[in-house]
Amino acid sequence: MIRENEALLDRLNIVTDLVVLFLSIVLSYTVRFHIFDSTENHLLLSYYLLFVLALLPIYYLIFSTFDLICVFRTRTFSEEVVKLIQANTVMAGIVTAVLFVMKWHYLSRWVMVQYFFISTLFLVGKHFLMRWLMSYLREKGYHKKTLIILGSGGSAREYLETIRSRKDYVYDYLGYVSNYARLDGDYLGDYGSLYEVLNERKPEELICALDISEAGYLEQIMSDCEKTGTKVSIIPFCYRYIPSRPYIDQIDRIPLINIRKIPLDNYANAFLKRAMDFFGALILLILSSPILLVTAIGVKLTSPGPVIFKQERVGLNKELFTMYKFRSMIVNDQSDTAWSTNEDPRKTKFGAFIRKYSIDELPQLYNVLKGDMSLVGPRPELPYFVENFQKSVPLYMVKHQVKPGITGLAQVKGYRGDTSIPKRIEWDVYYIENWSLFLDVKILLMTVFKGLRNEEVLPGSGEKEKEK
């Protein structure tokens, strides 16, 4: 029910954003041709409306990239305003490029300029009103649900901490029922008194968070909930191992929960991703060929050794493959066992530069063409580190159930280089379980906007910082 309500509000947010975009073009048209210039020698409003209609899929993609689709987020309003301005600025750039390339001189540039400023202002105002409305409804108790927690063990405590820490999950927590009084909140009684508690308190929902040792109480608990007409939601004993969107199969009347459903196991999905990888890598190789040539010359002139650095990495199904990069370090014997750091003495000056702007990764487009890698996926790791991490990092080996990528969800979320491995794997697993072509496009856009430049320290900049 939580997810359904959030989805409803997300859809409302999207629809109202689209309404704002159409109202903005109407107002921009009115200001341009009915206030500042009343001549009749111009396109009808319907052409501008059709143009905005054609841009809606791109708007959706851009807004999704900047995380503006969902209503419930923990960011502040000022952060949201910044993202709205950034998203609309990117959209303005795309519109300008489209008008220039297609040579659509019939559309008034003044209308489009006004449209950018007016739509930005209106979107900010609409998002402010949406936040105010949700806050008002919560204060009035409309978007609030009364609940009782059943149990007082680890899962019950974690659930309670979650709903208390998330402002978007607005509940009126009435207390808990358990054989042990060890949870925060009002202790309402033991499992034997559940029927009376439900009749007296009349919660809208009961959250069943029993420990596995208490499974014997389930039959009586379900009976009490049915007799009192109380909705019940169950936190499974094995909830830590169940993905957010589990795939449920059924054998006769027995449900089977698939712990990890991978969309790319589907042949159609795999074909679509491979097609996008092949043609995308081919186009990018052609477009980046001048950069590839200049970089190859730069590597050759700045340090002795080969231009291309070859290294074994672990790929799909734990198979080894040779990954290609522009060499950014002096030739050394630690390349297969030592992790590079920001101030690694092995890096050359030119190497640090191409690493900072991810230029050293461009030869991996050849890996994509070969089929060893994908444009988007978990980053491939050295066999040495895979062997070390597979025992110490939970779910680490799951990343090898799909092809590795040049960029990935973990990287655009900030987890690249010398960062937290568990957090990186967390995002990798999320990507694997929730893959879609749309998600791939979104990650590629996020890479362009904020993932190409990393925290690599250029030689000499560290000393300057210390002087300050």
Side-chain angles (χ1 to χ4, degrees):
M1 186 60 67
I2 297 171
R3 186 176 293 167
E4 289 177 7
N5 290 334
E6 287 192 1
L8 177 63
L9 289 168
D10 289 346
R11 286 193 287 269
L12 177 63
N13 189 43
I14 296 168
V15 170
T16 50
D17 275 349
L18 299 182
V19 170
V20 164
L21 295 176
F22 279 106
L23 289 176
S24 299
I25 197 66
V26 171
L27 181 58
S28 303
Y29 182 90
T30 303
V31 170
R32 174 66 180 88
F33 295 118
H34 294 282
I35 296 179
F36 289 116
D37 186 355
S38 58
T39 61
E40 297 183 1
N41 187 24
H42 55 75
L43 288 178
L44 297 174
L45 174 60
S46 56
Y47 288 95
Y48 289 89
L49 292 174
L50 285 173
F51 183 69
V52 173
L53 182 64
L55 291 175
L56 290 186
I58 304 176
Y59 261 111
Y60 183 85
L61 187 60
I62 297 296
F63 275 45
S64 178
T65 299
F66 283 90
D67 206 16
L68 292 167
I69 296 298
C70 300
V71 173
F72 292 105
R73 289 292 180 265
T74 55
R75 60 170 174 260
T76 64
F77 179 63
S78 60
E79 292 171 335
E80 189 161 356
V81 169
V82 170
K83 284 184 173 290
L84 280 168
I85 294 173
Q86 290 174 335
N88 236 21
T89 302
V90 170
M91 196 63 213
I94 292 174
V95 169
T96 303
V98 168
L99 292 176
F100 177 78
V101 172
M102 302 300 294
K103 297 182 180 180
W104 288 344
H105 304 305
Y106 304 106
L107 293 178
S108 169
R109 288 171 175 77
W110 278 113
V111 170
M112 302 314 296
V113 169
Q114 289 174 130
Y115 171 67
F116 165 70
F117 288 105
I118 291 173
S119 62
T120 301
L121 182 64
F122 279 17
L123 284 169
V124 169
K126 193 233 80 173
H127 279 247
F128 173 79
L129 287 175
M130 182 73 82
R131 281 175 173 259
W132 176 85
L133 177 62
M134 296 310 302
S135 177
Y136 175 80
L137 290 176
R138 287 167 185 167
E139 288 178 3
K140 295 296 182 181
Y142 288 109
H143 190 50
K144 186 177 287 190
K145 179 178 290 187
T146 57
L147 65 83
I148 287 174
I149 295 177
L150 191 69
S152 58
S155 56
R157 283 194 300 274
E158 188 169 347
Y159 178 82
L160 182 57
E161 289 170 4
T162 300
I163 63 172
R164 283 179 169 177
S165 63
R166 289 283 300 271
K167 294 180 180 179
D168 46 316
Y169 294 162
V170 183
Y171 289 107
D172 185 5
Y173 169 53
L174 302 180
Y176 69 99
V177 173
S178 175
N179 286 346
Y180 310 98
R182 58 190 183 190
L183 193 68
D184 288 345
D186 293 337
Y187 178 62
L188 305 178
D190 59 18
Y191 298 135
S193 62
L194 178 62
Y195 180 77
E196 290 75 16
V197 171
L198 294 178
N199 270 329
E200 179 185 346
R201 296 299 183 114
K202 296 180 172 59
E204 293 180 67
E205 189 171 4
L206 177 74
I207 305 299
C208 183
L210 298 179
D211 287 337
I212 193 169
S213 59
E214 301 172 310
Y217 293 102
L218 263 178
E219 185 176 353
Q220 184 60 46
I221 287 166
M222 298 305 296
S223 175
D224 291 342
C225 289
E226 289 172 359
K227 289 177 183 176
T228 56
T230 306
K231 288 183 180 179
V232 57
S233 295
I234 299 176
I235 300 177
F237 303 128
C238 55
Y239 74 98
R240 294 183 184 276
Y241 306 99
I242 298 177
S244 57
R245 290 180 176 84
Y247 174 71
I248 300 179
D249 205 346
Q250 191 159 344
I251 302 296
D252 199 5
R253 296 181 60 190
I254 303 174
L256 299 175
I257 300 177
N258 194 314
I259 294 299
R260 184 160 292 102
K261 184 174 185 291
I262 300 176
L264 285 171
D265 284 344
N266 180 285
Y267 290 146
N269 288 340
F271 175 80
L272 288 173
K273 184 172 175 65
R274 178 60 187 151
M276 188 181 82
D277 284 340
F278 182 84
F279 290 108
L282 189 62
I283 292 169
L284 288 172
L285 270 173
I286 295 170
L287 293 176
S288 63
S289 55
I291 300 175
L292 290 166
L293 178 60
V294 171
T295 306
I297 295 172
V299 172
K300 194 65 178 177
L301 294 178
T302 53
S303 94
V307 170
I308 298 297
F309 175 67
K310 301 176 183 179
Q311 193 174 56
E312 272 198 343
R313 296 288 178 110
V314 182
L316 176 65
N317 296 326
K318 296 170 281 188
E319 296 289 337
L320 297 180
F321 71 98
T322 302
M323 191 183 78
Y324 304 99
K325 297 177 69 173
F326 279 121
R327 184 172 54 83
S328 59
M329 296 185 176
I330 60 174
V331 177
N332 65 90
D333 57 0
Q334 296 179 311
S335 57
D336 292 334
T337 56
W339 214 321
S340 64
T341 60
N342 269 346
E343 299 185 12
D344 199 314
R346 296 174 297 163
K347 289 187 299 188
T348 65
K349 288 185 178 181
F350 186 74
F353 173 79
I354 62 175
R355 286 167 68 98
K356 186 172 186 65
Y357 296 97
S358 301
I359 299 171
D360 63 319
E361 310 283 357
L362 286 176
Q364 288 163 42
L365 291 170
Y366 177 63
N367 283 117
V368 176
L369 285 178
K370 286 179 61 184
D372 296 327
M373 294 179 65
S374 176
L375 290 175
V376 180
R379 287 294 292 161
E381 195 52 84
L382 292 164
Y384 174 81
F385 290 114
V386 171
E387 188 177 339
N388 290 336
F389 291 145
Q390 66 176 340
K391 296 178 181 178
S392 59
V393 180
L395 304 180
Y396 184 82
M397 298 306 290
V398 174
K399 66 183 287 185
H400 300 109
Q401 294 180 12
V402 298
K403 285 183 183 179
I406 296 178
T407 185
L409 186 58
Q411 282 64 46
V412 298
K413 292 292 183 179
Y415 295 99
R416 58 184 296 177
D418 192 12
T419 54
S420 169
I421 298 298
K423 289 299 294 183
R424 197 184 306 181
I425 294 303
E426 183 180 321
W427 284 113
D428 284 341
V429 171
Y430 177 88
Y431 169 79
I432 291 168
E433 293 177 348
N434 297 273
W435 176 88
S436 68
L437 274 183
F438 175 79
L439 180 59
D440 271 2
V441 174
K442 178 180 176 180
I443 292 170
L444 288 171
L445 283 173
M446 292 175 73
T447 301
V448 173
F449 294 134
K450 60 182 181 180
L452 291 177
R453 189 178 186 275
N454 57 47
E455 301 301 319
E456 193 83 18
V457 176
L458 293 176
S461 60
E463 288 77 0
K464 290 177 182 178
E465 290 295 327
K466 290 175 184 178
E467 288 174 8
K468 293 178 182 179

